[in-house]
Each structure stands twice: as C-alpha cells, then as structure tokens.
C-alpha cells in the first residue's frame, strides 16, 4: 500500500514540517486485530501466586485435621474432607441384611459402622456409604476404634481388618477364634483355640507379621483387649476350682515372655474387658465390675450388691457405665458411672430399663423405650432426644447428634441441650 503524507503547521513560525504517519485504513488486518501476548514472566508470577495460595490452604486444612493424617487415611481425608467427596440422601436409612446385633453397631471416627449378617458398612454423616463390603461369616463380631475395625467369625477362623474406605487385610487364624481386637496404630491380637494349649494369644504388627505369642495352659480364655499403643493386652478366661467358677485376668507385655500381672476372681464370670486410654483396665463380671491399676498392681471392685446387670458400656476414654436393677426385667435401675481410676462419679435412678449406654466428653446417654436421656457426670439431665419404640442402641456421633440402631434401619437425631 502507498503511504501518504501529512502536514503540521506551527502557527507562530508559520513553518511547515513534514511528518509521516500510518493510516489504519492502509495497515494490514493482521496488525490491527492481533492481541499482544501476555508476557511470560507475568504468567509465571500468576502461577506461583496460585500455587502458593493453594498449598497454603492445604497446609491449613492439614494442620486442622492433623489427628486424621495417619498413613492409612490420608487418601480418605483428601477425597472426602478436602475435596468433599461425600454422598447420601440423609437418615434414616435401611441397613443391608436381615439383622444387626447391638454389639455390631458402633461409631467409627464419629460416623456409624455396622456389621449385619451379610455386610460390613461404614456410613458418612449424610447416610452415604464410605464402604459396603459383603462377608460370609456365620457369626460375625465387630470391634472398632477411631482408625481401624476388625471383624471375625466367632468359633471359626476367618477375620478381616478394615479402615473407613476398604478391607485392607483378610486372614485366617490357626484355630477357632474366641476374640480379637485391634489398636489405633494397627497392631492386632487374635485369641484362639490352642493346638497344644487351651488357648493361644497371637499378636500381629500392622504389616500382618507375627510380633508376639502367649499360650494359656490352665484357663479357657475368652476376652482380649489391646492397649492404644499396641504394646500390651488384657486377657480374661475361666476355669473351675473346687466345684466353683474362677475367672482370671492377665496383663501381657509384648516385650517380655512371662505375663506382667495376674488377677483371680472367685465365683464371678468376666463378661467383657477394655484396656483404657489412661493405661488401666476395666472389666465387667457377673457379680461385680473392676478397675485394674496396672502401674500400682491392684484392683478396685464395684460390687453389684445382688442386683442384676442389664446393660453396660466400656468407653476407653472414661471407664465403666453400668445399669443395675433389683428386678430381673431391668426396670427401676441405677445407671452408675465409674471413672478410669475406679471412682464412682454418679448414680442415676431410672424407672425404665436402660437398653443401651454411651459416653462422650463428659456426657452420658441412656436409651430407654422411646427416649434418649443425656446427663453430665454429676447426674444432671442436660438433654432429651425422642426416638421410636423399636430403638435398640444409641451412640454419640459427636456432641450434637446421636446415631440410633432400630429394628431395620439406622436413624440420626440432633441434640438440643437445655440452657
């Protein structure tokens, strides 16, 4: 294209100066429409700022949830907590299978877990499924803590270890399993029938290699609980002595070959036990409950005074909750809260039967027919939660809600505390 000339006239000097310019009409179209590219250094700066902000958010969320960032649940935390991968249509929700025993319903890091006659299911707070795994156990038993659960087939050999998202190990014991437990760090213990002894206790590391074993020659052992560090276990069993029952409780230390402590209980059968978070052991028997002070090597006995044990709970962060009744049907009962040192903190008298008990952060939940009553450890009622007459067990989700096992479904109820 031909370039044209223009003139600029200076009025004072009347001098004419020639200047050249380019007309947009004569310029190539490409030069008019072309957008000047973003400088590369500006793009890099923006990317750096974005990455810094992103990783800052991740670090802050990680610090807030530091207690959840164990090697086995970092993936879960990233998917479900950070990215919000949660689904569900809300409670109530029907459970899989025909039946769920009350002992096989619990909370798993404050969300429900249950083992039915067909499946192991972990739900989220909106009734979505973290996992739903089928099993073929004829008599499944579930034990759980905040990081892991173990499900075993009673009087058979099969067992499974699960986290919230999946089954992480499936195994078989050498003989029929009497009981099994798992610690928050993944160490697990299997108590099973012995080949050369009456009972064997086998301890496994998180990688499923054998860590320790102990053999019982004089007692049929039936209960086991491992401590939160995976370093000790409490084991109870039963035998006969001069025509009467005698129960025994052993404290095992996995770093020594002989038992650490041994306690005998005459004319009392130990139903259950729990290694508590403070290092003591709680046990519930047929005629009394016990707190074992492992460091001092002594026990505190809480006698039932001929009352009937209708319900109990062994919260590892507290101690023992008992429901004792003068009637065989469980009505007109006293709910007794005993702390981890064996001190009776409160006694709550009820007209109805306590169907289940639970504890969380200084709160005691008592389920009776159609209601959940919540008390503090001083015995003062601080909330009531209505439910239906088919409710069988109630567990705290957190301080603001309860999860409730019913005949064919699981429901959720909010807690409204009194002023």
């Amino acid at each position: 294209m031909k370039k044209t000339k223009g003139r600029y006239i200076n009025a004072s000097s009347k001098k004419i100066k020639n200047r050249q310019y380019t007309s947009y009409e004569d310029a190539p179209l490409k030069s008019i429409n072309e957008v000047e590219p973003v400088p590369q250094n500006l793009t890099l700066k923006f990317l750096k700022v974005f990455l810094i902000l992103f990783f800052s958010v991740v670090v802050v969320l990680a610090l807030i949830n530091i207690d959840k960032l164990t090697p086995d649940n970092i993936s879960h935390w990233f998917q479900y907590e950070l990215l919000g991968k949660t689904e569900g249509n809300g409670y109530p929700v029907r459970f899989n299978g025909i039946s769920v025993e009350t002992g096989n319903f619990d909370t798993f890091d404050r969300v429900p877990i249950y083992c039915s006659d067909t499946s192991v299911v972990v739900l989220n707070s909106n009734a979505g499924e973290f996992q739903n795994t089928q099993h073929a156990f004829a008599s499944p038993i579930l034990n759980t803590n905040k990081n892991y659960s173990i499900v075993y087939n009673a009087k058979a050999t099969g067992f499974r270890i699960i986290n919230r998202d999946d089954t992480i190990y499936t195994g078989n014991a050498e003989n029929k399993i009497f009981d099994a437990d798992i610690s928050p760090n993944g160490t697990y213990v299997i108590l099973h029938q012995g080949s050369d002894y009456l009972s064997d206790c086998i301890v496994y590391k998180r990688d499923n290699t054998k860590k320790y074993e102990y053999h019982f020659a004089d007692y049929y052992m039936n209960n086991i609980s491992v401590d939160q560090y995976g370093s000790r276990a409490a084991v109870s069993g039963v035998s006969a002595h001069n025509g009467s029952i005698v129960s025994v409780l052993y404290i095992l230390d996995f770093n020594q070959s002989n038992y650490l402590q041994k306690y005998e209980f005459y004319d009392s059968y130990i139903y259950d036990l729990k290694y508590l978070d403070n290092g003591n052991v709680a046990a519930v028997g047929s005629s009394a409950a016990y707190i074992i002070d492992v460091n001092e090597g002594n026990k505190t006995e809480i006698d039932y005074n001929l009352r009937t044990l209708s319900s109990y709970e062994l919260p590892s962060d507290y101690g023992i909750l008992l429901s004792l009744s003068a009637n065989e049907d469980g009505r007109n009962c006293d709910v007794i809260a005993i702390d981890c040192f064996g001190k009776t903190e409160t006694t709550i008298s009820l007209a109805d039967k306590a169907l289940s008990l639970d504890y969380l952060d200084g709160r005691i939940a008592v389920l009776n027919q159609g209601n959940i009553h919540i008390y503090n450890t001083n015995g003062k009622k601080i909330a009531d939660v209505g439910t239906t007459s088919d409710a069988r067990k109630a567990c705290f989700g957190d301080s603001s809600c309860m999860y409730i096992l019913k005949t064919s479904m699981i429901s959720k109820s909010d807690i409204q505390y009194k002023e």
Side-chain angles (χ1 to χ4, degrees):
M1 291 186 181
K2 181 181 178 182
K3 292 185 180 180
T4 61
K5 294 183 179 181
R7 295 179 181 269
Y8 176 79
I9 300 174
N10 190 319
S12 58
S13 62
K14 304 283 184 162
K15 293 182 178 178
I16 298 174
K17 297 182 179 178
N18 295 332
R19 301 188 66 186
Q20 291 184 341
Y21 65 92
T22 301
S23 169
Y24 283 106
E25 295 180 355
D26 298 326
L29 292 176
K30 182 178 179 181
S31 64
I32 297 173
N33 298 324
E34 189 176 62
V35 178
E36 185 176 356
V38 178
Q40 186 175 5
N41 61 341
L42 184 60
T43 303
L44 292 174
K45 287 180 181 179
F46 175 80
L47 183 60
K48 288 180 180 179
V49 170
F50 174 79
L51 291 175
I52 290 171
L53 290 174
F54 176 78
F55 284 111
S56 297
V57 171
V58 171
V59 169
V60 170
L61 290 174
L63 291 174
I64 294 173
N65 296 272
I66 191 66
D67 59 319
K68 301 178 182 179
L69 299 183
T70 59
D72 288 295
N73 63 14
I74 286 178
S75 174
H76 174 95
W77 175 84
F78 186 82
Q79 293 182 66
Y80 293 95
E81 303 295 336
L82 182 61
L83 300 182
K85 185 183 176 183
T86 55
E87 298 176 351
N89 296 319
Y91 292 90
V93 61
R94 290 189 172 274
F95 55 70
N96 288 6
I98 298 174
S99 63
V100 176
E101 299 295 330
T102 56
N104 286 340
F105 174 72
D106 209 334
T107 52
F108 197 2
D109 196 17
R110 298 306 168 198
V111 294
I113 179 173
Y114 68 86
C115 180
S116 71
D117 54 319
T118 62
S119 307
V120 180
V121 180
V122 183
L123 300 172
N124 65 27
S125 58
N126 199 38
E129 293 181 350
F130 283 141
Q131 72 163 298
N132 184 341
T133 306
Q134 290 188 337
H135 67 77
F137 296 163
S139 301
I141 304 293
L142 169 71
N143 283 321
T144 189
N145 59 60
K146 64 181 180 180
N147 293 331
Y148 299 98
S149 291
I150 187 167
V151 182
Y152 67 92
N153 198 4
K155 297 182 180 179
T157 61
F159 68 93
R160 291 181 178 182
I161 296 172
I162 67 174
N163 58 21
R164 280 174 299 183
D165 305 320
D166 203 0
T167 298
I168 59 176
Y169 184 73
T170 298
N172 284 281
E174 297 174 6
N175 283 301
K176 294 179 180 180
I177 299 173
F178 298 141
D179 199 6
D181 195 24
I182 189 166
S183 73
N185 70 3
T187 299
Y188 62 96
V189 291
I190 305 290
L191 182 65
H192 62 71
Q193 180 180 335
S195 299
D196 301 319
Y197 299 88
L198 296 180
S199 310
D200 292 338
C201 167
I202 312 297
V203 182
Y204 297 90
K205 300 177 184 178
R206 191 173 63 185
D207 63 2
N208 308 303
T209 59
K210 188 179 293 187
K211 176 180 180 178
Y212 175 85
E213 59 184 271
Y214 192 90
H215 308 283
F216 301 92
D218 300 323
Y219 293 87
Y220 291 95
M221 311 305 288
N222 52 9
N223 296 299
I224 192 165
S225 178
V226 64
D227 74 347
Q228 64 175 327
Y229 306 109
S231 60
R232 290 180 176 179
V235 194
S236 69
V238 66
S239 186
H241 179 73
N242 294 331
S244 62
I245 291 176
V246 57
S247 293
V248 67
L249 192 156
Y250 286 90
I251 306 296
L252 302 180
D253 188 314
F254 303 156
N255 293 312
Q256 62 183 57
S257 58
N258 199 10
Y259 63 82
L260 183 65
Q261 294 171 11
K262 177 182 176 183
Y263 302 87
E264 291 182 325
F265 311 90
Y266 291 90
D267 298 320
S268 181
Y269 182 84
I270 301 297
Y271 293 135
D272 202 356
L273 51 75
K274 176 74 72 173
Y275 224 115
L276 303 177
D277 291 348
N278 76 329
N280 290 344
V281 174
V284 173
S286 57
S287 60
Y290 311 90
I291 292 289
I292 308 296
D293 188 327
V294 176
N295 289 333
E296 297 296 328
N298 55 46
K299 69 178 185 288
T300 300
E301 180 176 327
I302 301 93
D303 193 271
Y304 298 164
N305 295 320
L306 302 179
R307 290 174 292 179
T308 299
L309 176 69
S310 60
S311 185
Y312 71 87
E313 188 67 24
L314 298 174
S316 62
D317 58 345
Y318 180 69
I320 304 175
L321 300 176
L322 300 172
S323 174
L324 301 175
S325 174
N327 304 319
E328 291 186 0
D329 62 7
R331 292 180 297 176
N332 297 315
C333 66
D334 289 332
V335 174
I336 303 172
I338 302 132
D339 71 11
C340 58
F341 300 102
K343 176 186 175 183
T344 298
E345 285 204 304
T346 192
T347 298
I348 303 164
S349 297
L350 302 172
D352 296 324
K353 179 181 179 179
L355 299 175
S356 79
L357 307 169
D358 199 25
Y359 174 89
L360 176 68
D361 297 337
R363 301 171 180 88
I364 300 166
V366 182
L367 170 67
N368 59 27
Q369 192 170 20
N371 287 287
I372 303 168
H373 306 295
I374 300 176
Y375 303 84
N376 61 25
T377 52
N378 294 322
K380 179 183 177 181
K381 186 187 290 188
I382 55 177
D384 287 301
V385 179
T387 184
T388 54
S389 59
D390 65 335
R392 296 185 289 142
K393 186 176 181 180
C395 297
F396 280 105
D398 53 33
S399 60
S400 64
C401 72
M402 303 289 303
Y403 293 104
I404 305 160
L405 174 67
K406 300 183 178 181
T407 302
S408 60
M409 64 180 61
I410 296 168
S411 66
K412 180 181 180 181
S413 293
D414 293 333
I415 304 171
Q416 300 295 329
Y417 291 98
K418 299 177 181 179
E419 296 293 336

